[in-house]
Amino acid sequence: MVKMIALYKHPEDKEAFDEHYWNTHSPITAKIPGLRDMKVTKIVGSPMGGEGKYYLMCEMYYDSHEALKTAMKTDEAKASGKDIMGFAGELVTMMIGEEVDA
């Protein structure tokens, strides 16, 4: 299993961010062909105290690197990327990871 991970820093206007993320961005992203699962985590704190560096994390699961590459070429993925740059371009860090058994 391969996943694309999006980590979002704290937005200035959390209410506006949440409204756009849940009502516009997530529905666009959910339509990407080949996406097996999408898990969103709202970061609620840091073990050291305080709110921490990040606000939200989204993990998008694909069957393989090839499936992820194919998905990223679709119109749906391009629409998701365009949307994220429009509302959270300076807040988001994107990564690709592989799940491993510990």
Side-chain angles (χ1 to χ4, degrees):
M1 192 64 70
V2 173
K3 59 184 170 180
M4 180 172 287
I5 304 159
L7 276 174
Y8 297 88
K9 295 176 189 169
H10 291 271
E12 284 185 34
D13 185 342
K14 291 178 179 168
E15 189 174 307
F17 177 94
D18 287 350
E19 198 282 324
H20 186 91
Y21 185 85
W22 293 109
N23 297 319
T24 302
H25 187 69
S26 285
I28 292 170
T29 302
K31 293 178 183 175
I32 296 173
L35 179 65
R36 293 290 177 201
D37 195 10
M38 187 168 81
K39 295 181 180 179
V40 180
T41 302
K42 192 158 195 177
I43 310 299
V44 295
S46 165
M48 307 307 269
E51 68 180 7
K53 183 176 179 178
Y54 295 100
Y55 180 67
L56 200 74
M57 176 177 69
C58 179
E59 298 170 290
M60 296 150 280
Y61 293 82
Y62 296 87
D63 289 336
S64 65
H65 284 282
E66 192 57 42
L68 173 60
K69 283 183 192 178
T70 299
M72 292 302 102
K73 295 175 185 174
T74 66
D75 290 342
E76 293 87 347
K78 291 173 186 173
S80 177
K82 183 177 180 181
D83 184 65
I84 201 171
M85 289 298 111
F87 88 98
E90 72 276 358
L91 301 175
V92 70
T93 299
M94 304 292 293
M95 296 170 269
I96 297 172
E98 293 178 355
E99 291 202 337
V100 295
D101 293 326

